[in-house]
Amino acid sequence: MSCVFCAIVAGDAPAIRIYEDDDYLGILDIRPFSRGHTLVIPKEHTVDLTDTPPEIVATMARIGQRIAQAARQSGLHADGNNIVINDGRAAFQSVFHIHLHVVPRRTGDKLSFVKGMLVRRDSDREESGRLLRAALAQLDAPEHD
């Protein structure tokens, strides 16, 4: 397949899956800006904001918000998150299948974030994935009094 995200959705390319439902997938970015950097993608291929229905973008944002909440409650200890859609080549979109970035941030990480833009790696992607999946499961669990 020419689209790496379509290949991941089809199971033909590897990815660390954080979230999945019938229509969307959340995966760890292979070149993260920070630990736990997750991409939310619709399983149906669209290129960018110009050809993606608004309801798909809205659902991506809802899923991204939950992943951001999980990043705050997990062992990643995020204090905040950047939520971004790069729309087109001029906006640094590099994979032309629409996706939303959830980039966990920590207070005072400005220098390491800039360094992360150059280095872009996670020392333990499997553990980051485990932490986020566990936090998402906890968010989905019924409240206990």
Side-chain angles (χ1 to χ4, degrees):
M1 293 185 154
S2 59
C3 174
V4 67
F5 291 165
C6 287
I8 290 169
V9 167
D12 296 333
I16 295 176
R17 294 169 183 246
I18 300 305
Y19 172 89
E20 186 166 10
D21 65 25
D22 291 341
D23 300 311
Y24 298 88
L25 184 61
I27 60 173
L28 286 185
D29 192 310
I30 196 164
R31 293 187 43 219
F33 284 116
S34 68
R35 186 169 183 208
H37 179 171
T38 300
L39 305 177
V40 177
I41 61 173
K43 290 183 176 180
E44 182 178 329
H45 183 91
T46 60
V47 175
D48 55 29
L49 284 173
T50 63
D51 74 335
T52 303
E55 57 275 9
I56 291 177
V57 176
T59 301
M60 290 168 55
R62 279 194 294 276
I63 294 166
Q65 183 180 33
R66 292 201 38 79
I67 293 170
Q69 187 179 5
R72 285 177 179 245
Q73 293 181 0
S74 72
L76 295 178
H77 307 291
D79 298 314
N81 294 272
N82 287 110
I83 306 292
V84 178
I85 293 175
N86 297 333
D87 178 34
R89 192 175 308 279
F92 307 108
Q93 184 177 1
S94 59
V95 176
F96 294 94
H97 180 130
I98 194 162
H99 54 287
L100 178 138
H101 295 260
V102 180
V103 183
R105 301 292 305 273
R106 295 185 75 178
T107 301
D109 71 357
K110 288 179 179 57
L111 290 176
S112 64
F113 186 74
V114 171
K115 180 182 173 189
M117 292 178 75
L118 299 172
V119 177
R120 294 187 71 176
R121 67 175 169 253
D122 181 340
S123 61
D124 191 349
R125 292 180 72 234
E126 292 291 340
E127 177 64 4
S128 296
R130 186 194 68 71
L131 289 169
L132 285 169
R133 284 189 299 273
L136 282 170
Q138 186 175 19
L139 287 173
D140 292 336
E143 292 292 323
H144 295 93
D145 291 326

